[in-house]
Amino acid sequence: MTSPLAQEAQSLLARLFPICRSITGEGVRQSLAILSGTAPWQVKEYASGTKVFDWTVPNEWTVRDAWIADESGNRIVDFQQSNLHLVSYSAPVKAKLSFAELDAHLHSLPNLPDAIPYRTSYYKENWGFCLTQKQRDGLDRSASYDVVVDTELKPGSLSLADAVLPGTSGQEFLISTYCCHPSMANDNLSGPVVATLLLKALATRPKLRHSWRFVVLPETIGAITYLAQHQAEMQASAGGFVVTTCGGPGPLGIKRSFLGDHLLDRAVDIAFRDAHIKPVIYPFVPDGSDERQYSSPGFRIPVTTISKDKYYEYLYYHTSLDDLDFVKGEALEKSYDLYLAAIDVIEENRTLRSLTPHCEVQLGRRGLYPQSGGALNQKAGTAGATAIENEVDVISWVMFLADGQHDLISMAERSGCRFQDIVTVAAKLESHGLLEEIPD
Ligand code: ZN
């Protein structure tokens, strides 16, 4: 049985998939409108020509149609069949070309002959078509071709969306994803779908410990624009996630933050450990997605990524085969669960100090210990072990480590106990007056 969350993810995927997105234009706006119907995103527009650090918000791209026709007028490569056929940001053209002239503008993948590759030309004015190697091999080299790219590049705006959920700690965390690729599912619809469902989940919570800033934007230029326009808030960010390529059938993975052992890295590790999932670990490298911007020297926001079939790692990356057969709601749910578990670790992490630090406390007197002594940790007694015996182990670890130097994450790491058990036991000990919280 598919869960309601997997169904919701699947239905968002299906609605978003056909839209022709790019770094600007109607496709991004339509996509943001669909996401805003599920969670409280706020759409923002930034005018073409706006200076953003070393970059400029580009002209807006509009595509109406594009095709290559043979001498009989048959459209042999047609944007209406797949929006991947047109190189993104192609400038307008209307011409009759020889095969050789046309061939200089074609892109295909000899090693994946049934796939249409995804290509862009954002910052160099050009045009081109992408097609399968099989289509390309079938072109008549002695023929001429009619080429029409009915597009427009003119001043408009760049669209993105954000949402800030306020917390009480004074610390803010970031969840960022991008929304600029045309019809491909893992890269990149998996990101905006999972981020939107996370936003929906956190937005309905009555109380949050930390503030959570969500952003969905065109990759690179959108993140640069957002950082330039929200410089002070973003410089104060405590860390974040870039949600990307998290819906494939392949392995779950973690891309480390540039620090490698930041609170976020540890929270993600605990989430995987407690779910009994062994991830593929990708060390930090200064490429990939928008961590390149967030973690740059002017911001230095530690960012990690949980992926499922990470970008670069799967065969169908940036091709038409990254489709709705490759990505399913159930796979997105697995990544969603891990993101949410890591968010919960960050939300519930705190540091506690023992109020009775001199030797062990007498648990029995407080009703925290099983009545018959001696049975604890006795090998022969394990089969009949009661829940409280396990709990005593957790209590022992929490009381032992409650020196004000260990937060709940370190307690979970050090003890091997499940993080949620540590949280439950810590709250219980606090309610018995044995622990007090040290404010952040
Ligand atoms: Zn990509």
Side-chain angles (χ1 to χ4, degrees):
M1 258 289 276
T2 313
S3 74
L5 187 113
Q7 281 175 30
E8 192 171 14
Q10 190 68 44
S11 121
L12 277 172
L13 278 176
R15 290 173 66 198
L16 292 163
F17 189 78
I19 299 171
C20 181
R21 281 162 293 270
S22 186
I23 51 173
T24 61
E26 266 319 298
V28 187
R29 266 179 222 118
Q30 284 170 22
S31 304
L32 296 178
I34 289 172
L35 298 174
S36 303
T38 295
W41 290 110
Q42 301 287 317
V43 177
K44 298 178 170 179
E45 302 280 344
Y46 298 94
S48 303
T50 306
K51 286 292 288 172
V52 286
F53 299 123
D54 206 33
W55 300 58
T56 305
V57 174
N59 279 337
E60 188 174 321
W61 188 57
T62 301
V63 52
R64 284 180 287 267
D65 208 354
W67 73 86
I68 302 169
D70 64 16
E71 287 170 358
S72 317
N74 302 311
R75 293 189 182 195
I76 51 171
V77 177
D78 189 353
F79 172 78
Q80 304 297 339
Q81 299 292 317
S82 166
N83 53 40
L84 289 168
H85 277 314
L86 182 63
V87 169
S88 194
Y89 256 66
S90 279
V93 60
K94 193 171 191 312
K96 197 171 200 63
L97 302 177
S98 69
F99 171 81
E101 288 167 325
L102 172 65
D103 198 53
H105 290 271
L106 298 183
H107 307 269
S108 59
L109 294 169
N111 294 332
L112 213 53
D114 291 310
I116 307 165
Y118 165 55
R119 295 288 181 269
T120 65
S121 188
Y122 298 139
Y123 302 106
K124 179 169 179 284
E125 195 163 309
N126 203 343
W127 63 270
F129 282 89
C130 304
L131 69 175
T132 69
Q133 187 63 40
K134 283 187 179 161
Q135 279 178 303
R136 193 174 190 171
D137 292 342
L139 295 177
D140 180 349
R141 290 169 169 263
S142 59
S144 62
Y145 295 89
D146 283 317
V147 172
V148 172
V149 176
D150 183 8
T151 56
E152 213 171 16
L153 276 164
K154 61 171 193 204
S157 62
L158 177 151
S159 319
L160 56 79
D162 71 355
V164 182
L165 306 176
T168 53
S169 72
Q171 278 200 307
E172 182 181 286
F173 290 88
L174 172 71
I175 296 186
S176 174
T177 189
Y178 54 95
C179 182
C180 54
H181 290 33
S183 295
M184 288 176 293
N186 197 35
D187 189 18
N188 77 220
L189 291 178
S190 65
V193 169
V194 166
T196 296
L197 295 175
L198 290 170
L199 171 58
K200 183 182 175 182
L202 293 198
T204 52
R205 289 191 180 175
K207 187 169 168 288
L208 289 166
R209 182 177 179 86
H210 304 301
S211 297
W212 290 87
R213 179 182 298 264
F214 284 73
V215 295
V216 52
L217 31 74
E219 201 173 19
T220 308
I221 187 64
I224 293 169
T225 301
Y226 194 83
L227 287 162
Q229 300 280 331
H230 301 81
Q231 196 167 339
E233 299 101 298
M234 295 301 282
Q235 273 164 340
S237 179
F241 297 96
V242 165
V243 186
T244 169
T245 47
C246 56
L252 283 151
I254 300 169
K255 180 177 175 182
R256 293 286 183 219
S257 78
F258 71 93
L259 294 172
D261 60 353
H262 184 261
L263 169 82
L264 286 153
D265 298 291
R266 295 164 64 212
V268 169
D269 280 349
I270 290 285
F272 272 84
R273 187 199 72 177
D274 287 358
H276 307 290
I277 297 169
K278 220 176 147 44
V280 182
I281 301 291
Y282 303 101
F284 180 83
V285 279
D287 76 351
S289 188
D290 288 324
E291 62 273 25
R292 304 197 311 266
Q293 320 311 333
Y294 298 130
S295 304
S296 63
F299 291 95
R300 281 292 190 250
I301 307 168
V303 168
T304 87
T305 289
I306 297 171
S307 58
K308 195 167 183 318
D309 273 317
K310 183 182 166 287
Y311 52 85
Y312 307 156
E313 301 289 320
Y314 63 104
L315 186 62
Y316 297 167
Y317 170 70
H318 280 183
T319 76
S320 57
L321 299 179
D322 181 354
D323 61 10
L324 297 184
D325 289 327
F326 187 68
V327 171
K328 297 289 180 200
E330 288 89 342
L332 290 179
E333 186 177 19
K334 289 195 171 79
S335 296
Y336 168 92
D337 285 346
L338 286 159
Y339 273 110
L340 196 59
I343 289 168
D344 281 335
V345 171
I346 293 165
E347 274 285 290
E348 290 171 313
N349 188 40
R350 53 201 186 119
T351 304
L352 295 150
R353 175 168 49 209
S354 173
L355 292 168
T356 54
H358 302 102
C359 307
E360 288 184 324
V361 296
Q362 198 185 345
L363 297 178
R365 186 159 71 76
R366 296 176 165 85
L368 292 165
Y369 202 81
Q371 289 308 303
S372 60
L376 188 61
N377 291 334
Q378 188 179 20
K379 286 265 183 278
T382 313
T386 57
I388 192 76
E389 284 186 328
N390 239 336
E391 197 173 334
V392 166
D393 285 346
V394 184
I395 291 171
S396 304
W397 273 112
V398 171
M399 289 308 295
F400 183 78
L401 292 171
D403 52 11
Q405 305 299 311
H406 292 83
D407 60 9
L408 300 190
I409 292 179
S410 355
M411 290 184 180
E413 289 169 342
R414 187 70 198 269
S415 67
C417 300
R418 282 164 28 96
F419 181 79
Q420 286 304 327
D421 291 345
I422 300 267
V423 169
T424 306
V425 160
K428 191 170 179 176
L429 296 171
E430 198 180 14
S431 73
H432 278 78
L434 292 170
L435 297 176
E436 70 170 357
E437 183 173 346
I438 299 176
D440 288 325

